[in-house]
């Protein structure tokens, strides 16, 4: 992936990392990083156009990275720090994207949130909240855009996909709870998110096409992320540095006491 400085990634990540051509090099004191690759054929069931035999990589994920000095804190909090890199090449008409998933809920029925940071590039997320017990009916749908250095919270109860609008690669970091499984099946059964992002006008524009497998889909509202100082989420601080104040990561595993900070209005602003 050309055009990415490994120094920039390390600075934005807050830990020494180098990325090049689908490989992540860990600097001194950093461990973990189990790698997985999602190819076009792996996304076949959630694509606008079927491509069952396309082996081209779409994105890479390295899970559970940590500085050795933070290992005990991370284990105690039951959280995980990951890196994701999305390629910029479209999948047919469709912009490159992740598979999409929902998060599990806690004992009181509140979904576990997640927080991302953009290390390089521009990120879009389509986040969607379905009607309870009716995933084909979407009650809220948003397009979130974040740029390098910005952080975005995926609020409780919302499923999400990540999209790379290009023109270059997109590299993200995230903190998330490490004690629950993702729900990929709902996205697979409905052939993706409630919208597809499709290139139009000779790759000069993007159209948002509703997914016909859903019964009800509202119009997309476009959002940009806000800083959330009460949770330590500010642009000038790398996301990884939240581990220096573990209370700032408590919302990932105990969302209920923090719900007032995890609303759409508190996490984002309309554009």
């Amino acid at each position: 992936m050309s055009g990415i400085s490994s120094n920039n990634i390390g600075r934005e990540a807050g830990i020494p990392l180098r990325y090049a051509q689908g490989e992540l090099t860990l600097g001194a004191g950093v461990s973990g990083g189990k790698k997985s690759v999602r190819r076009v054929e792996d996304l076949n069931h959630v694509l606008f156009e079927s491509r069952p035999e396309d082996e081209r990589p779409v994105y890479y994920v390295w899970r559970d990275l940590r500085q050795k000095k933070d290992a005990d804190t991370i284990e105690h909090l039951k959280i995980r720090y990951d890196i994701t890199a999305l390629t910029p090449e479209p999948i047919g008409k469709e912009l490159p994207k992740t598979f999409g998933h929902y998060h599990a809920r806690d004992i009181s029925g509140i979904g576990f949130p997640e927080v991302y940071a953009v290390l390089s590039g521009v990120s879009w997320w389509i986040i969607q909240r379905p009607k309870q017990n009716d995933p084909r009916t979407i009650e809220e749908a948003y397009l979130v855009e974040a740029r390098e250095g910005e952080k975005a919270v995926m609020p409780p109860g919302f499923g999400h996909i990540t999209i790379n609008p290009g023109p270059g690669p997109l590299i993200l970091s995230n903190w998330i709870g490490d004690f629950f499984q993702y729900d990929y099946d709902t996205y697979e059964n409905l052939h993706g998110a409630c919208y597809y992002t499709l290139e139009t006008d000779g790759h000069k524009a993007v159209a948002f096409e509703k997914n016909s497998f859903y019964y009800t889909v509202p119009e997309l509202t476009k959002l940009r992320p806000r800083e959330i100082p009460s949770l330590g989420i500010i642009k000038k601080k790398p996301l990884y540095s939240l581990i220096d104040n573990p209370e700032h990561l408590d919302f990932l595993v105990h969302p209920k006491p923090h719900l007032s900070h995890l609303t759409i209005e508190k996490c984002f602003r309309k554009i």
Side-chain angles (χ1 to χ4, degrees):
M1 293 183 175
S2 61
I4 294 183
S5 163
S6 58
N7 291 331
N8 286 342
I9 293 170
R11 183 173 65 248
E12 291 294 344
I15 55 176
L17 299 173
R18 294 183 179 181
Y19 177 84
Q21 302 298 323
E23 297 297 333
L24 190 71
T25 302
L26 311 185
V30 179
S31 63
K34 181 179 179 181
K35 180 182 179 181
S36 61
V37 182
R38 286 275 199 174
R39 304 180 186 276
V40 174
E41 62 185 3
D42 300 320
L43 303 180
N44 187 52
H45 293 293
V46 297
L47 296 177
F48 179 72
E49 296 176 328
S50 178
R51 289 176 174 264
E53 298 180 0
D54 190 335
E55 297 181 354
R56 177 166 52 89
V58 179
Y59 62 100
Y60 308 88
V61 182
W62 293 267
R63 299 193 187 281
D64 202 17
L65 292 152
R66 61 186 65 185
Q67 289 191 298
K68 293 177 182 178
K69 67 181 181 64
D70 300 318
D72 289 344
T73 303
I74 288 171
E75 293 292 337
H76 176 72
L77 292 175
K78 298 181 180 179
I79 57 175
R80 193 181 72 232
Y81 180 85
D82 307 327
I83 298 289
T84 301
L86 282 85
T87 64
E89 292 79 19
I91 308 170
K93 298 178 182 179
E94 195 168 6
L95 295 182
K97 67 179 183 181
T98 59
F99 195 97
H101 62 265
Y102 289 95
H103 292 174
R105 297 177 179 269
D106 68 10
I107 194 171
S108 62
I110 298 169
F112 292 104
E114 183 173 7
V115 59
Y116 284 94
V118 180
L119 306 184
S120 183
V122 177
S123 183
W124 287 354
W125 293 271
I126 290 179
I127 66 173
Q128 58 188 59
R129 184 179 63 79
K131 184 178 180 180
Q132 188 172 2
N133 300 320
D134 183 8
R136 293 179 183 268
T137 299
I138 300 300
E139 297 188 323
E140 297 179 65
Y142 303 97
L143 176 71
V144 177
E145 177 179 303
R147 299 179 179 271
E148 187 172 305
E150 294 182 321
K151 288 81 178 171
V153 170
M154 302 296 109
F158 283 82
H160 67 276
I161 63 169
T162 306
I163 300 161
N164 182 6
L170 167 63
I171 303 182
L172 304 165
S173 64
N174 69 275
W175 281 112
I176 191 170
D178 193 29
F179 53 88
F180 60 85
Q181 298 294 317
Y182 297 158
D183 170 17
Y184 293 103
D185 291 345
T186 300
Y187 276 80
E188 181 171 351
N189 293 338
L190 293 174
H191 297 260
C194 62
Y195 279 90
Y196 298 108
T197 52
L198 308 178
E199 289 189 330
T200 61
D201 192 22
H203 308 293
K204 296 179 182 179
V206 175
F208 297 92
E209 181 158 329
K210 292 181 180 179
N211 181 342
S212 62
F213 285 89
Y214 288 79
Y215 294 147
T216 303
V217 176
E219 296 301 311
L220 273 178
T221 299
K222 296 181 179 180
L223 304 174
R224 298 273 279 125
R226 295 183 187 271
E227 293 188 340
I228 313 175
S230 58
L231 299 179
I233 299 172
I234 56 178
K235 184 176 181 180
K236 67 180 181 180
K237 291 183 63 177
L239 187 66
Y240 186 87
S241 69
L242 293 181
I243 198 65
D244 297 334
N245 296 281
E247 66 275 11
H248 285 155
L249 292 164
D250 183 69
F251 76 98
L252 297 173
V253 294
H254 302 111
K256 189 173 182 178
H258 306 280
L259 285 180
S260 63
H261 302 290
L262 299 174
T263 64
I264 291 294
E265 293 73 20
K266 290 292 180 68
C267 293
F268 306 104
R269 59 180 175 86
K270 292 183 179 181
I271 58 174

